[in-house]
C-alpha cells in the first residue's frame, strides 16, 4: 500500500475518534466499538411513526467477523481490485430531525469480486483493499469509489458500514443490492468466474432483519454504477 499519498492519510480508529469527535459535540463517549449494537432500535422508528419526520432509521445489523480497525481516510478504496466500477454515495442524516450530519466518519468494507476480504487470511493479512473511511460534507454525503462486491458462501451481496460521530459509533449496518442487478453484474468478468452464488437477499438471515431498508438505489454510470442511500442515525 502506498501510504505517502496525500489523500490517504492513515489514521487509527482512536485517532479518528479524537479528531472527528471535536467536530460534533454531543453524546457520551463510551469505550468499545460495539456500542451501536446496544442502541434501542425502537426509538427511531417511533419518531418516524409520529409523522414528524420522514427519514428512516437505518437498521442495525451485525458488524460481522471481517471488520478491521485502523483504516485509511480515502475515497478510492479499490487498490486496483478488478470489478465493475461502483461509486457509493452515502448520506447520513439525523433520524430525529432529518437534517444532514456533517463531519460523520463513514467506514465501509466489503469483499472483492472473488468474495475475499482484505486482511483476513494469511494470504491477505497485510492488504487493506476495499476498506476506507470518508467524512460527510455539509450535505451529509460521503462518497467512495470502489467496485461492485462479490459474494461469499452463506451471505447475500453486501457492503459493511460503520458511522461514528462525536466519539460514538452511531450506526453499524450493511448495505444491499437489488438481486436482479447483481445477476446482471455477475454475468460480467471477473464475477462470472464464480457462478452460482448461493444466497440471495430473501434467503439471507441478516438481510431479513431490516435489510430492505438498507438496499442501495443504483443507476448506471458509464461502465459501472452509482449506488446511493440515505441512512438515518441517532446521534447518541
Ligand atoms: Fe461481510
Amino acid at each position: 500500500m502506498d501510504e505517502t499519498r496525500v489523500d490517504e492519510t492513515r489514521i487509527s480508529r482512536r485517532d479518528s475518534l479524537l479528531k472527528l469527535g471535536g467536530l460534533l459535540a454531543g453524546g457520551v463517549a463510551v469505550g468499545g466499538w460495539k456500542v451501536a449494537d446496544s442502541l434501542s432500535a425502537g426509538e427511531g422508528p417511533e419518531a418516524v411513526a409520529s409523522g414528524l419526520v420522514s427519514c428512516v432509521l437505518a437498521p442495525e445489523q451485525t458488524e460481522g467477523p471481517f471488520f478491521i480497525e485502523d483504516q485509511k481516510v480515502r475515497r478510492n478504496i479499490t487498490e486496483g481490485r478488478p470489478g465493475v466500477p461502483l461509486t457509493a454515495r452515502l448520506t447520513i442524516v439525523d433520524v430525529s430531525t432529518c437534517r444532514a450530519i456533517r463531519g460523520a466518519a463513514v467506514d465501509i468494507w466489503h469483499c472483492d469480486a472473488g468474495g475475499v476480504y482484505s486482511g483476513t487470511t494469511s494470504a491477505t493479512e497485510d492488504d487493506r483493499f476495499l476498506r476506507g473511511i470518508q467524512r460527510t460534507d455539509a450535505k451529509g454525503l460521503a462518497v467512495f469509489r470502489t467496485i461492485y462486491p462479490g459474494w461469499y458462501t452463506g451471505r447475500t451481496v453486501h457492503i459493511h458500514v460503520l458511522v461514528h460521530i462525536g466519539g460514538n459509533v452511531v450506526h453499524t449496518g450493511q448495505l444491499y443490492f437489488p438481486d436482479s442487478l447483481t445477476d446482471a453484474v455477475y454475468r460480467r468478468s471477473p464475477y462470472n468466474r464464480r457462478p452460482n452464488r448461493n444466497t440471495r437477499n430473501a434467503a439471507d438471515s441478516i438481510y431479513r432483519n431490516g435489510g430492505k431498508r438498507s438496499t442501495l438505489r443504483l443507476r448506471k454510470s458509464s461502465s459501472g454504477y452509482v449506488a446511493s442511500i440515505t441512512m438515518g442515525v441517532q446521534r447518541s
Side-chain angles (χ1 to χ4, degrees):
M1 273 186 299
D2 179 2
E3 294 184 17
T4 63
R5 285 169 58 180
V6 175
D7 64 339
E8 295 194 358
T9 310
R10 189 180 181 88
I11 60 171
S12 77
R13 180 163 287 272
R14 269 184 207 294
D15 283 348
S16 71
L17 270 179
L18 292 171
K19 288 171 187 165
L20 297 162
L23 294 174
L24 285 163
V28 178
V30 291
W33 285 93
K34 298 287 188 183
V35 62
D37 291 342
S38 65
L39 285 173
S40 165
E43 290 166 19
E46 282 167 22
V48 172
S50 73
L52 294 173
V53 293
S54 59
C55 51
V56 175
L57 184 72
E60 295 297 303
Q61 301 217 300
T62 179
E63 167 182 301
F66 300 127
F67 173 71
I68 294 180
E69 291 194 17
D70 212 19
Q71 291 317 307
K72 290 178 176 180
V73 175
R74 58 180 182 178
R75 174 159 292 174
N76 187 334
I77 64 173
T78 57
E79 293 193 22
R81 303 309 278 189
V84 170
L86 184 78
T87 299
R89 296 173 61 85
L90 313 180
T91 299
I92 310 300
V93 300
D94 185 327
V95 77
S96 61
T97 63
C98 290
R99 291 209 180 108
I101 297 177
R102 178 185 196 162
V106 181
D107 186 343
I108 69 169
W109 67 103
H110 65 85
C111 65
D112 69 7
V116 174
Y117 282 91
S118 60
T120 56
T121 67
S122 56
T124 66
E125 66 182 340
D126 293 329
D127 295 329
R128 291 295 181 271
F129 57 78
L130 306 179
R131 297 174 184 272
I133 296 172
Q134 285 286 276
R135 267 167 279 198
T136 55
D137 65 13
K139 293 179 176 173
L141 177 66
V143 179
F144 293 90
R145 302 209 184 288
T146 186
I147 58 165
Y148 205 102
W151 63 277
Y152 56 96
T153 297
R155 288 304 318 281
T156 192
V157 187
H158 62 279
I159 292 176
H160 294 271
V161 60
L162 269 180
V163 180
H164 43 101
I165 299 171
N168 290 321
V169 172
V170 296
H171 175 57
T172 304
Q174 301 190 18
L175 305 175
Y176 299 97
F177 298 80
D179 277 319
S180 56
L181 181 63
T182 297
D183 290 341
V185 169
Y186 282 11
R187 283 193 281 274
R188 295 166 65 175
S189 176
Y191 307 90
N192 58 6
R193 286 177 212 157
R194 286 178 72 240
N196 307 323
R197 66 185 173 111
N198 62 9
T199 308
R200 300 168 74 84
N201 287 340
D204 184 293
S205 60
I206 300 172
Y207 174 92
R208 263 187 234 136
N209 187 19
K212 194 174 176 188
R213 281 180 281 135
S214 293
T215 301
L216 294 154
R217 264 194 341 273
L218 282 109
R219 63 178 167 83
K220 234 179 155 353
S221 174
S222 61
S223 62
Y225 295 91
V226 175
S228 305
I229 193 166
T230 297
M231 288 179 275
V233 303
Q234 291 166 315
R235 277 179 182 267
S236 57

